[in-house]
Amino acid sequence: MSRIEATNDFVVKFANVNGSGSASANELFARAILRMGVSVSPRNIFPSNIQGLPTWYEVRVCEAGWLGRRGGVDLMVAMNPQTWAQDLAEIQPGGYLFHDSTKPMPASAFRTDVHVIGMPATAICNATYDVPRERTLFKNILVLGALSELMGISAAVIETLFAEQYQGKERLLDSNVRALHAGREFARDHLSVQPFGLRVKPADAVGDKVFLEGNAATALGCVYGGATVCAWYPITPSSSVAEAFEKYAVKFRTDPVSGEKRYAIVQAEDEIASIGIITGAGWNGARAFTATSGPGVSLMTEFLGLAYFAEIPFVVIDVQRGGPSTGMPTRTQQADLLSSAYASHGDTQHVLLLPEDPRECFEFAADALDLAERLQTPVFLMSDLDIGMNQRLCAPLEWDDTRRYDRGKVMSAEQLDAGTPFARYKDVDGDGIPWRTLPGTHASKGAYFTRGTTRNEAAIYSERGEDYLRNVERLRAKFATAALLAPQPLVRSAAKKTSVGVLYFGSTAPAMDEALAALAEAGIHIDAMRLRAYPFPPSVAEFIEAHAAVFVVEQNRDAQMRRLLVNELEVAPKHLTPVLHFDGTPITARFITDAITRHVHALATAPRSTT
């Protein structure tokens, strides 16, 4: 039987049940390899329901630095009988199955092309620990110890991680260290006779990269970007944005002398109330945001229309999940593009920012707050569960201390006293953005009535068609201005001249990076453009026009980004070929590579038109 042999380049997947304490041990496994200087990319796949349901933790180990899901599993740590058949099927031929062998299983339960490693973890824990909860928790550490011995993961590194985790809790520290070494000793005494081909060796492949979740990075970006008001209603997978914002606000927005809190965080009674709160805060001059997911956006649409039409700035952080309806709350998709871009009735368009990783979540959160005020409109930050709730390696977060917040066209009391003309909804310089005043700016000048109904340039109620047309055409001009102010797309040219291009965005980026390299190695050269915002600047249409065929890679069923491109740029639909992945798991490099390879070969063999 063949055997997978790999050093610092493999995929391990842990299959367990929710509430078993496996998450902590699995994270220790990933962090220990990271501390050894090898890049890792973990993904937690957990249920949205109660304790006891299946959960998985997949770790991509890759010294070369690829951070997307590769596809396939080299080692399955199968600790959940409920999902045995499913987990077994994922293992690559020649791969490894590590399982709890306390209860004997028939040969028919295994695959003949997979190497089986059995450890009676339950029996060992039952003989060692009297407390049932300890038996469950320390079984995970016992398995971690065995794997660390088999794979060459440093025990000293794991002990250091224990010391950091249990600082001041020496009893817990000592018991975890003992369980770790018990697992290592069992592997040395009983498992070393079986050749094991997956190894970890110290490397220097991490450098100065940081390891953090996208939701935490987003929250920190909101703090640095000047947000002082957060209103939210709990919804997976966005809740940790508000929780992290509170943690950072306590640290950075609390006066060290008086203890005064210079921020407001409101857990509202529902999503409608939360966006109502930030609409009021934005109108009043505060930088405000809410964090939600697709179902929340659905409920917020009426306020989004009000804020768009009345021109009130705030930020909506949409951490996307599987839909529609309740859908798959703990799975990832990029399926809120259309609902967010056109949220509310009538002719409404919203700015969307599309970060690829935690670093861009940090940067774009701050940028979104600037853009919202500069454009006087709601701005969406479109993250997703894969970015938001998984720890990812990325470049260090950076902030320019000389940066000043862009408040946009806010007229001061001094300008009003100097006789500067003020008409709230008048375009004075052709960019579609009017001047505004903040409440209390002046005792007698610059006041206006904010309404969701039609009005003239001076904010006075009007149902005259020409006033309405002037207003909505100005809003369209403002949207065109947004295309030039939002983060611009990034282009990567192929090594050889090609007529094929690909458009992608957000969390598809890590897998896309690896797929492009694999395709080039196979002789398929593709120019790539990563979209980072909507509306699209002229460069997107130019990229599409420059290629005979363009793929659009996204994670939803209905090719929503492709629809936006067709609708906004009036591109011929047949010019854009969708590559769609929407089962709730993050897209893999192998999926993209296979899909594009099939399409390119089909294009090469298609009969030429005679017309």
Side-chain angles (χ1 to χ4, degrees):
M1 189 198 314
S2 65
R3 183 182 302 276
I4 294 177
E5 303 278 347
T7 299
N8 294 352
D9 188 8
F10 50 83
V11 175
V12 179
K13 193 169 186 178
F14 297 83
N16 219 303
V17 294
N18 198 34
S20 65
S22 60
S24 178
N26 297 341
E27 185 178 326
L28 282 167
F29 174 84
R31 285 187 173 274
I33 296 174
L34 185 65
R35 289 285 179 94
M36 291 178 68
V38 182
S39 294
V40 297
S41 182
R43 285 174 170 83
N44 191 15
I45 306 167
F46 57 98
S48 60
N49 256 312
I50 59 174
Q51 178 173 309
L53 290 180
T55 184
W56 295 268
Y57 190 83
E58 183 177 292
V59 183
R60 172 84 183 272
V61 179
C62 185
E63 186 177 345
W66 301 123
L67 299 176
R69 284 186 74 224
R70 185 198 69 185
V73 174
D74 301 312
L75 167 63
M76 177 66 72
V77 183
M79 308 300 286
N80 185 3
Q82 290 177 273
T83 59
W84 178 271
Q86 172 186 341
D87 298 332
L88 190 65
E90 288 192 55
I91 305 172
Q92 299 281 96
Y96 304 87
L97 171 70
F98 187 104
H99 75 109
D100 185 348
S101 60
T102 298
K103 184 178 180 180
M105 299 180 68
S108 60
F110 301 95
R111 279 171 48 185
T112 57
D113 62 344
V114 168
H115 301 275
V116 179
I117 303 169
M119 177 184 185
T122 298
I124 295 171
C125 288
N126 288 347
T128 307
Y129 304 103
D130 296 325
V131 180
R133 183 61 178 164
E134 288 185 349
R135 292 173 177 174
T136 300
L137 295 176
F138 288 122
K139 181 170 74 171
N140 298 309
I141 303 302
L142 197 74
V143 169
L144 173 63
L147 292 175
S148 68
E149 177 66 25
L150 290 172
M151 304 176 80
I153 300 172
S154 168
V157 167
I158 300 176
E159 288 180 21
T160 299
L161 290 169
F162 278 145
E164 294 171 1
Q165 182 175 351
Y166 298 114
Q167 187 174 11
K169 302 176 181 177
E170 280 66 28
R171 185 180 64 82
L172 291 174
L173 172 61
D174 293 343
S175 56
N176 275 276
V177 169
R178 285 198 302 271
L180 174 75
H181 284 282
R184 291 178 67 90
E185 289 167 11
F186 181 90
R188 278 195 300 269
D189 296 342
H190 301 281
L191 304 179
S192 59
V193 295
Q194 304 179 54
F196 189 75
L198 306 181
R199 302 290 295 176
V200 179
K201 289 188 177 179
D204 188 18
V206 177
D208 64 349
K209 292 179 180 176
V210 295
F211 195 53
L212 77 163
E213 292 181 350
N215 282 355
T218 298
L220 193 59
C222 288
V223 171
Y224 272 74
T228 56
V229 176
C230 167
W232 65 297
Y233 183 78
I235 182 172
T236 302
S238 71
S239 295
S240 57
V241 174
E243 293 164 356
F245 180 76
E246 180 176 23
K247 179 181 72 173
Y248 294 131
V250 167
K251 182 175 181 179
F252 297 116
R253 288 278 167 76
T254 303
D255 186 277
V257 177
S258 66
E260 179 186 3
K261 295 180 179 180
R262 295 175 176 172
Y263 59 91
I265 301 174
V266 183
Q267 182 176 324
E269 61 266 33
D270 54 32
E271 287 90 350
I272 299 172
S274 66
I275 197 167
I277 291 167
I278 65 167
T279 300
W283 172 84
N284 202 44
R287 290 198 154 190
F289 74 93
T290 188
T292 190
S293 194
V297 174
S298 297
L299 291 168
M300 294 175 178
T301 55
E302 187 171 3
F303 267 111
L304 284 163
L306 169 64
Y308 170 80
F309 200 50
E311 299 178 70
I312 298 171
F314 58 69
V315 171
V316 177
I317 296 163
D318 181 1
V319 188
Q320 300 168 89
R321 68 189 207 185
S325 188
T326 306
M328 297 187 292
T330 58
R331 300 293 186 266
T332 194
Q333 281 188 356
Q334 297 173 312
D336 295 348
L337 300 177
L338 292 174
S339 63
S340 298
Y342 302 128
S344 196
H345 53 277
D347 296 321
T348 311
Q349 293 173 295
H350 301 294
V351 177
L352 313 181
L353 305 190
L354 309 166
E356 70 163 346
D357 64 6
R359 178 188 169 95
E360 282 196 343
C361 284
F362 171 77
E363 294 175 351
F364 286 8
D367 290 345
L369 291 160
D370 272 352
L371 281 169
E373 290 212 274
R374 174 77 176 273
L375 295 166
Q376 299 174 29
T377 196
V379 173
F380 282 79
L381 178 68
M382 304 296 290
S383 179
D384 60 38
L385 186 146
D386 186 31
I387 301 173
M389 294 194 71
N390 289 308
Q391 292 172 314
R392 187 76 55 81
L393 274 175
C394 63
L397 308 185
E398 295 179 351
W399 185 260
D400 181 0
D401 286 332
T402 65
R403 174 172 171 171
R404 294 294 177 264
Y405 301 142
D406 186 349
R407 304 305 303 268
K409 298 177 183 177
V410 180
M411 194 167 289
S412 67
E414 290 75 18
Q415 289 172 297
L416 292 168
D417 278 332
T420 305
F422 174 70
R424 174 64 183 96
Y425 296 109
K426 182 179 177 63
D427 184 1
V428 296
D429 49 17
D431 63 0
I433 306 170
W435 283 81
R436 64 176 174 143
T437 57
L438 300 180
T441 296
H442 195 283
S444 59
K445 300 176 181 179
Y448 64 94
F449 191 83
T450 305
R451 63 174 79 246
T453 51
T454 56
R455 65 271 166 167
N456 63 17
E457 291 178 332
I460 298 170
Y461 178 79
S462 170
E463 292 189 16
R464 296 175 63 208
E466 60 191 83
D467 286 333
Y468 175 80
L469 289 174
R470 186 184 298 112
N471 201 48
V472 295
E473 290 292 353
R474 180 182 56 75
L475 289 171
R476 180 154 59 184
K478 182 168 73 171
F479 201 65
T481 298
L484 304 177
L485 295 177
Q488 298 298 290
L490 300 179
V491 175
R492 182 189 309 179
S493 298
K496 296 183 178 180
K497 187 174 178 60
T498 178
S499 63
V500 181
V502 63
L503 297 168
Y504 64 103
F505 61 97
S507 63
T508 61
M512 192 74 235
D513 291 341
E514 186 176 2
L516 288 169
L519 288 164
E521 190 174 338
I524 299 175
H525 298 280
I526 301 177
D527 293 331
M529 172 180 273
R530 179 163 70 86
L531 303 172
R532 300 202 299 164
Y534 164 82
F536 309 117
S539 59
V540 178
E542 293 165 4
F543 179 88
I544 295 172
E545 182 65 26
H547 296 87
V550 177
F551 298 101
V552 184
V553 180
E554 50 187 310
Q555 299 182 80
N556 58 70
R557 185 197 68 181
D558 293 344
Q560 294 187 24
M561 180 59 79
R562 179 175 176 269
R563 290 190 181 194
L564 272 177
L565 291 162
V566 169
N567 191 46
E568 298 294 326
L569 302 180
E570 299 183 353
V571 180
K574 65 180 181 181
H575 197 63
L576 301 177
T577 301
V579 176
L580 307 175
H581 183 277
F582 49 90
D583 67 358
T585 63
I587 196 169
T588 69
R590 290 180 179 178
F591 177 89
I592 298 172
T593 303
D594 292 346
I596 290 181
T597 299
R598 288 195 306 272
H599 283 301
V600 168
H601 288 166
L603 289 170
T605 58
R608 294 183 180 274
S609 173
T610 58
T611 59

